[in-house]
């Protein structure tokens, strides 16, 4: 009799569990397919924002985000195995119009590097003088999603690196929630890092031009784990300012010291799996905590019934 009652209680608990899972999802306003997947280990390898320009020299039909505004978003598929990315313009200040480009198309036949995200802003005024009305800037966010989810399932990436080369006179870039960073030691860096908690701004204030191979103008940042990166590019001189963000670990001629802002030992990767890809069995796993709690409540009720029957 007790065994039979136990089966009835447990089967009722599982039915309640399924209903509870659906109810919680509805209350939160998300579907089961929107739950995050396990973190993907990038291990500081390339996250590629490919955009090969097949136009004639000077063509811009392959540029991404021409004359784009606050709130505009731009999508890349397959930036890393199993990962898509979306870039959104969050804000801009004192630009000559809006954001010129979110990613410039590169003619790889001429040997140019297409792997970075090439951002261009334009400040009011002449290129050889301070911009009208002061410095200008633009802020962007990069969100990562599981491939095939139609940009609905966020994914966390572990060990992500970004290198920015050729930061010219009066230009700067700020990253938020940085785990660690590095600037050149040999040759001595002309970049000045300014820390504000886990946010770091890198500025070239010497008034000197530079080329991509000048390591003294490089900046490298690392993120132990992230599903969303926010950065701001800025300049003080009028005219165009271009920034190439290469999501890859730098290769320095002389390895500089790493400035650590956050522990280099990340927490263990989460074990949650994508419900969209794993089907019903994953849904049961996702709500296992609820099931256990409800089973416990059912067994407590069963014990109370047993005591009453003996009495």
């Amino acid at each position: 009799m007790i065994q039979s009652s136990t089966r009835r209680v447990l089967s009722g608990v599982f039915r309640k569990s399924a209903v509870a899972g659906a109810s919680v999802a509805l209350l939160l306003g998300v579907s089961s397919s929107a739950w995050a997947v396990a973190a993907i280990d990038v291990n500081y390898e390339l996250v590629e924002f490919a955009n090969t320009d097949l136009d004639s020299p000077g063509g811009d039909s392959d540029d991404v985000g021409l004359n784009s505004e606050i709130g505009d978003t731009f999508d890349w598929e397959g930036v890393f195995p199993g990962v898509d990315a979306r870039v959104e313009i969050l804000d801009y200040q004192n630009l000559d119009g809006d954001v010129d480009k979110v990613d410039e198309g590169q003619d790889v036949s001429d040997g140019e590097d297409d792997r970075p995200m090439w951002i261009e802003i334009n400040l009011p005024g002449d290129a050889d003088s301070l911009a009208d009305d002061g410095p200008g800037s633009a802020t962007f966010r990069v969100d990562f999603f599981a491939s095939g989810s139609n940009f609905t399932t966020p994914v966390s990436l572990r060990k992500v690196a970004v290198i920015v080369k050729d930061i010219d006179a009066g230009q700067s870039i700020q990253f938020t929630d940085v785990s660690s960073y590095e600037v050149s030691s040999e040759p001595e860096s002309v970049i000045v890092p300014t820390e504000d908690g886990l946010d770091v701004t890198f500025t070239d204030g010497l008034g000197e031009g530079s080329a991509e191979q000048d390591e003294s103008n490089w900046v490298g940042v690392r993120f132990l784990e992230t599903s969303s990166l926010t950065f701001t590019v800025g300049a003080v001189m009028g005219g165009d300012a271009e920034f190439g963000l290469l999501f890859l670990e730098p290769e320095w001629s002389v390895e500089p010291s790493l400035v650590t802002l956050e522990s280099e030992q990340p927490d263990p990767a989460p074990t949650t799996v994508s419900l969209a890809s794993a089907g019903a069995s994953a849904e049961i796993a996702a709500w296992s905590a609820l099931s256990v709690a409800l089973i416990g409540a059912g067994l407590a009720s069963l014990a109370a019934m047993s005591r009453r029957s003996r009495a």
Side-chain angles (χ1 to χ4, degrees), residues 33-35 37 82 84 144-155 274 276:
S33 62
W35 292 94
V37 300
D84 297 338
F144 299 106
F145 298 89
S147 293
S149 71
N150 196 28
F151 299 91
T152 60
T153 304
V155 62
S274 171

Side-chain angles (χ1 to χ4, degrees), residues 99-252:
V99 173
D100 283 7
K101 303 171 185 176
V102 174
D103 189 21
E104 182 178 34
Q106 302 294 305
D107 186 353
V108 295
S109 64
D110 289 342
E112 296 192 55
D113 192 352
D114 179 53
R115 299 173 302 166
M117 181 195 310
W118 289 97
I119 290 173
E120 184 177 309
I121 59 176
N122 188 289
L123 277 66
D126 297 331
D128 57 353
S129 62
L130 293 175
D132 298 342
D133 301 321
S137 64
T139 300
F140 305 81
R141 186 179 67 231
V142 185
D143 295 312
F144 299 106
F145 298 89
S147 293
S149 71
N150 196 28
F151 299 91
T152 60
T153 304
V155 62
S156 184
L157 306 186
R158 301 183 71 186
K159 295 184 178 180
V160 177
V162 183
I163 179 171
V164 185
K165 302 179 181 180
D166 193 13
I167 299 177
D168 285 324
Q171 293 182 355
S172 65
I173 186 165
Q174 179 193 69
F175 290 94
T176 64
D177 295 327
V178 172
S179 299
S180 57
Y181 69 87
E182 53 195 350
V183 294
S184 176
S185 57
E186 292 184 36
E188 184 178 357
S189 178
V190 300
I191 303 300
V192 178
T194 304
E195 300 175 14
D196 182 9
L198 297 181
D199 302 343
V200 188
T201 302
F202 303 91
T203 306
D204 177 0
L206 293 184
E208 298 178 359
S210 67
E212 185 176 335
Q213 65 269 22
D214 294 335
E215 294 184 24
S216 59
N217 291 74
W218 290 10
V219 165
V221 295
R222 298 185 185 189
F223 305 86
L224 289 180
E225 186 167 327
T226 182
S227 61
S228 182
L229 283 173
T230 301
F231 62 91
T232 299
V233 297
V236 300
M237 307 297 288
D240 292 338
E242 190 174 57
F243 302 82
L245 281 75
L246 178 59
F247 285 67
L248 182 66
E249 190 173 27
E251 293 184 4
W252 303 91

Side-chain angles (χ1 to χ4, degrees), residues 31-136:
S31 66
S32 61
S33 62
W35 292 94
V37 300
I40 294 176
D41 191 3
V42 174
N43 198 28
Y44 305 123
E45 296 179 3
L46 176 65
V47 178
E48 185 174 15
F49 290 81
N51 181 27
T52 305
D53 189 357
L54 301 179
D55 300 324
S56 59
D60 59 8
S61 66
D62 201 45
D63 291 340
V64 174
L66 284 171
N67 304 317
S68 48
E69 300 179 346
I70 296 171
D72 288 348
T73 61
F74 308 92
D75 295 339
W76 278 262
E77 296 182 348
V79 295
F80 191 80
V83 181
D84 297 338
R86 169 170 290 168
V87 178
E88 180 176 357
I89 300 175
L90 299 183
D91 190 23
Y92 50 73
Q93 304 288 335
N94 194 37
L95 300 186
D96 188 7
D98 34 37
V99 173
D100 283 7
K101 303 171 185 176
V102 174
D103 189 21
E104 182 178 34
Q106 302 294 305
D107 186 353
V108 295
S109 64
D110 289 342
E112 296 192 55
D113 192 352
D114 179 53
R115 299 173 302 166
M117 181 195 310
W118 289 97
I119 290 173
E120 184 177 309
I121 59 176
N122 188 289
L123 277 66
D126 297 331
D128 57 353
S129 62
L130 293 175
D132 298 342
D133 301 321

